[in-house]
Amino acid sequence: MTDSVERGSEAYEKYQEAGDILADVMAEAAEMVEPGATHLEVAEFAESEIRERGAKPAFPVNISVNEEASHASPGADDDTEFSEGDVVCLDVGVHVDGHIADSATTVDLGENRELVEAAEEALDAALDAVEPGVHTGEVGAEVEDVIEAYGFKPIVNLTGHGLEVYDAHTGPNVPNRGVDTGVELQEGDVLAIEPFATTGNGKVSEGQATEIYEVVAEKSVRNRQARQVLDAADEFEGLPFAARWLDTPRAEMGLRRLEMNDIVRSYPVLKEQEGELVSQAEHTVIVTEDGCERTTE
C-alpha cells in the first residue's frame, strides 16, 4: 500500500513539484510527436528537460505505438520515425527525491480521435469516482463503462497502481474493469490511474523487444561487465532505467548476465494483437478528504 501523504507536508509538496515539472515536459514532448521525428529524439528531449528542471526521470520515457501498450522505449541507436496514422502513447515519469509523478497522453497522427477520447474520458470518470472509502473495483467499473460505450475494450491485464517514495509500482492496483477483488482507497493514498482503450481483444502479451530494466536483488557477481552495470545502476536509486542510459562497456552482456542471476528484471514491450491500436491516459493523484487532487494537471 502507499504511504499516507498529508496536505501541506514536505512529501506532499515534493509530489506536487514532480507533477508540475511533468505536466510542462509532457506538453512540450507531445508537441514533438509528428511524422518524421524519431522516437529517440522525443525520449531524450523529455528526459533531458526533466533533469534540467532539477528533477530526475522516474523511469525511461515510454513511447508505445499502435498495438504497443507499454514499456516501449527507444534504444541508443534507434532511428525509428513516427509515421502518418500512428497512435502514440507517451508515458513519462518524474521524481523529486523519490516522490514520483506518472502521467500519459496519446497523440493521434491518424484518424482515431474516438479511441483517444475513450481513454481520456475513462480517466476523467475514474478520477471523479476517487475518494476515501471507494473500492478500487468501483473505479475500474467506471473505466470499463466509458470505454465500452465508445465501442472499444479496456485492457484488463494492465492496471493503475500506487506510488511510494522510490517505488513506481506498488499497491493498490486500480483495475480497468469492474472487479470484486481489491481494496478501499484511503485519504493520503498516492495513485497513478491509467485507462487503456483498444480496438483489440483487451489483453496484452510480452513482445521480444526490451530496453527497460530494474535492479531487484542484491547479490555479488563475478562477471566484470555485470559488476560495471550494477555500479552504474546505483545512480537510478532502485527505479527502472534504460539500457541506453548505461555508459559501460558491453552493457548488454552485463544486463543479460544479471537477468540470468535474478538480480535485474527486464520489462519487455507489452503488445495487443498485431494490427490493433491502443490509447492511454494517465494522471497521478493524491486521495483527499473529499475526492482527489491531481499532481499532473
Side-chain angles (χ1 to χ4, degrees), residues 159-224:
T159 68
H161 50 89
L163 297 165
E164 289 186 355
V165 178
Y166 289 110
D167 192 342
H169 273 267
T170 185
N173 290 332
V174 183
N176 286 318
R177 61 173 174 169
V179 294
D180 293 331
T181 57
V183 299
E184 291 185 358
L185 299 177
Q186 300 178 22
E187 185 176 354
D189 284 347
V190 185
L191 308 169
I193 299 178
E194 50 181 326
F196 293 83
T198 179
T199 61
N201 66 9
K203 290 188 177 180
V204 292
S205 57
E206 292 185 352
Q208 295 297 314
T210 300
E211 290 290 339
I212 300 176
Y213 298 85
E214 182 181 8
V215 177
V216 293
E218 293 185 9
K219 298 180 184 178
S220 61
V221 288
R222 299 179 63 182
N223 178 269
R224 181 180 179 183

Side-chain angles (χ1 to χ4, degrees), residues 1-296:
M1 297 294 292
T2 65
D3 297 326
S4 181
V5 177
E6 295 183 6
R7 178 175 279 152
S9 66
E10 182 179 6
Y12 179 90
E13 296 303 324
K14 288 183 177 182
Y15 277 117
Q16 292 289 352
E17 182 182 354
D20 289 342
I21 292 169
L22 176 47
D24 289 344
V25 171
M26 178 71 84
E28 295 180 25
E31 288 291 326
M32 295 177 63
V33 177
E34 58 183 16
T38 70
H39 297 194
L40 186 59
E41 288 170 347
V42 174
E44 290 190 330
F45 166 81
E47 291 161 1
S48 176
E49 279 294 302
I50 291 165
R51 296 183 181 105
E52 284 289 324
R53 294 168 191 247
K56 295 180 181 180
F59 51 82
V61 169
N62 284 207
I63 300 176
S64 305
V65 179
N66 297 333
E67 70 267 21
E68 296 171 341
S70 190
H71 300 164
S73 194
D77 300 317
D78 194 333
D79 60 0
T80 305
E81 297 181 354
F82 298 105
S83 301
E84 293 281 355
D86 281 347
V87 175
V88 182
C89 298
L90 186 62
D91 192 345
V92 180
V94 170
H95 80 88
V96 173
D97 296 333
H99 300 78
I100 297 168
D102 183 358
S103 182
T105 191
T106 302
V107 180
D108 176 27
L109 299 180
E111 298 180 357
N112 301 285
R113 187 60 216 168
E114 286 196 350
L115 182 65
V116 176
E117 288 177 352
E120 291 174 345
E121 291 194 17
L123 177 58
D124 288 342
L127 297 185
D128 286 345
V130 170
E131 63 181 2
V134 167
H135 192 276
T136 52
E138 295 178 48
V139 179
E142 295 291 332
V143 170
E144 184 175 31
D145 287 349
V146 170
I147 292 175
E148 290 188 344
Y150 269 89
F152 305 114
K153 291 185 178 180
I155 295 181
V156 299
N157 58 339
L158 291 176
T159 68
H161 50 89
L163 297 165
E164 289 186 355
V165 178
Y166 289 110
D167 192 342
H169 273 267
T170 185
N173 290 332
V174 183
N176 286 318
R177 61 173 174 169
V179 294
D180 293 331
T181 57
V183 299
E184 291 185 358
L185 299 177
Q186 300 178 22
E187 185 176 354
D189 284 347
V190 185
L191 308 169
I193 299 178
E194 50 181 326
F196 293 83
T198 179
T199 61
N201 66 9
K203 290 188 177 180
V204 292
S205 57
E206 292 185 352
Q208 295 297 314
T210 300
E211 290 290 339
I212 300 176
Y213 298 85
E214 182 181 8
V215 177
V216 293
E218 293 185 9
K219 298 180 184 178
S220 61
V221 288
R222 299 179 63 182
N223 178 269
R224 181 180 179 183
Q225 286 80 26
R227 289 201 310 272
Q228 289 174 327
V229 167
L230 274 182
D231 288 344
D234 281 345
E235 175 187 349
F236 313 126
E237 301 168 284
L239 290 166
F241 60 91
R244 59 184 158 82
W245 293 356
L246 298 171
D247 185 19
T248 60
R250 307 178 77 178
E252 290 185 4
M253 179 179 293
L255 284 167
R256 284 197 298 271
R257 183 64 62 92
L258 291 169
E259 191 173 5
M260 288 171 55
N261 286 278
D262 298 321
I263 297 171
V264 160
R265 173 187 175 184
S266 65
Y267 289 87
V269 175
L270 300 176
K271 305 171 68 174
E272 249 283 6
Q273 296 168 301
E274 186 174 354
E276 303 297 346
L277 300 173
V278 175
S279 67
Q280 177 189 12
E282 180 180 21
H283 275 307
T284 295
V285 301
I286 300 173
V287 180
T288 59
E289 181 180 5
D290 54 357
C292 67
E293 183 170 342
R294 304 182 188 188
T295 70
T296 52

